[in-house]
Amino acid sequence: MARRERGSATGPLLLALLLTLLVLATVYAFAAHLYPAPPPITSDAVLVDRQYNLTLYVTGAVFILAQLGLAYAVLRFRDRGQRARFTRGNIAMEILWSSATVFTFVGLAILGRNAWAEVRFTPPASDAIQVEVTTNQFVYTFRYPGADGKFGMLDSTLVNAPAGNPLGLDPNDPAGKDDIVVPTLTVPVNRPVELLLRSQDVVHNFFVRELRLQQDAVPGMVIPVHFTANQIGKYEIVCTQLCGLGHSRMYSILNVVSQFDYESFLKRQAAGQ
Ligand SMILES: [Cu+2]
């Protein structure tokens, strides 16, 4: 059989170059912090950042090696006119890289468990401020229990946002008389806060980048999450579940204020109820 023509080296060379450029551009984007996350405002968020960076370094190293290896293989094993060889694979290599992958990801998961447990498995401090968060298309509504520390009963048949009762507060329950219902979330700095997430219609989400906290709100469930913000400021709350046509408009504000400002907020709201 006649030897085949040697293929052009231009294609493989360009592809290898493109892959190398892709790797360089990606490494640059991360190393130069082109899209930095806003500074964390809880100690849990710091743990999340640490875990994120560790995962990024490990997967980043794998990404660089894999892509450069691909560029090398494209170039090294290009068409030189040789006959293609069939290979059944290499069992030893497959066992090696499959177990390396398993160890890497299980290892990262075990290390990440600390940060996760801190937020999800540890109950909030007993003096945590409770705020109920109700989501619906496409707004957040926050409820504080008021001076009595008790949330009033809700009745879904009484839900009527235009009439000023978006949550369906039962007017016959005395515990609900002093409940404060507001469209934005105000919490004092350095105090544990427990949120109770609810949804009136579809799956929504509560996400604040600075808290590194993201939790779905699911109809029929009350999902608790907690945090302690250590930085006074205004932060954006966004819904990260595609919850309908108005999804992109669904956001609110988290105000972290001093204890004094928090108390005057509560007083102002109580006076206005
Ligand atoms: Cu939503």
Side-chain angles (χ1 to χ4, degrees), residues 135-140 201-205 238-244 246-248 250:
T135 54
N136 68 21
Q137 290 171 321
F138 298 95
V139 289
Y140 292 92
D201 41 34
V202 299
V203 177
H204 294 277
N205 188 281
V238 290
C239 176
T240 54
Q241 285 289 4
L242 193 52
C243 55
H247 161 67
S248 60
M250 183 161 173

